[in-house]
Amino acid sequence: FSYSVLDVVVMGRARHVGLFASPSAKDRTAAEAAADQLGLGKVAQRSVTTLSGGERQLVVIARALASEADILLLDEPASALDFHNQAAVLSTLRRLVAERGLTVVMTTHEPTHALEIADRAVLLHGEGVAEEGPVAQMCTEDKLSELYGMPMKRLSYASGAGDASHIVASYADIVRA
């Protein structure tokens, strides 16, 4: 359907809109704020059918944020996004957790995303086999090597701000770099 970006984000307000009612000015304001948080203001009136896959992913996340739910369940929220937009989504989620006490449960195949924003992690090893704990204990080289069935290495580097950041990569990826 050729809905505008803002119309799709407003759909996230459905739980606030009564049966057979239309979204209110408050709903539109909340949707605009959610879209702006992810940098979608400039495309708010465009049809979602004209957007790239990454832009559509941001629209879906903005729709979830517009719901103002206490808990968000997100399936790979940073998939199909370039590094800039991955960082924007993760930092927005981290900020909302801190500011609103929002609970975010998300799946990811990127250990760096878990290391960046998660408090706890669950590693799913296969049918009926999982382990759970603090993200720093779950995202170790040994546990990730076992999980992915290939050698994994955790690297640290100093960022411009003096903070340590972490990357998890396979040895094969490091050799190719």
Side-chain angles (χ1 to χ4, degrees), residues 42 51-52 122 137-141 158 163:
K42 60 189 172 294
L51 302 179
S52 70
V122 177
Q137 291 176 10
M138 294 293 100
C139 291
T140 64
E141 290 177 3
D163 298 310

Side-chain angles (χ1 to χ4, degrees), residues 8-69:
V8 172
V9 177
V10 167
M11 290 176 194
R13 301 288 300 166
R15 73 185 190 109
H16 301 281
V17 179
L19 190 60
F20 303 115
S22 295
S24 67
K26 180 181 176 183
D27 295 317
R28 284 208 141 338
T29 299
E32 288 169 355
D36 287 343
Q37 286 179 327
L38 294 172
L40 294 169
K42 60 189 172 294
V43 297
Q45 298 309 314
R46 282 183 47 194
S47 169
V48 293
T49 61
T50 67
L51 302 179
S52 70
E55 288 170 323
R56 288 181 191 188
Q57 181 78 344
L58 292 173
V59 171
V60 172
I61 293 168
R63 184 179 65 192
L65 293 176
S67 75
E68 295 180 344

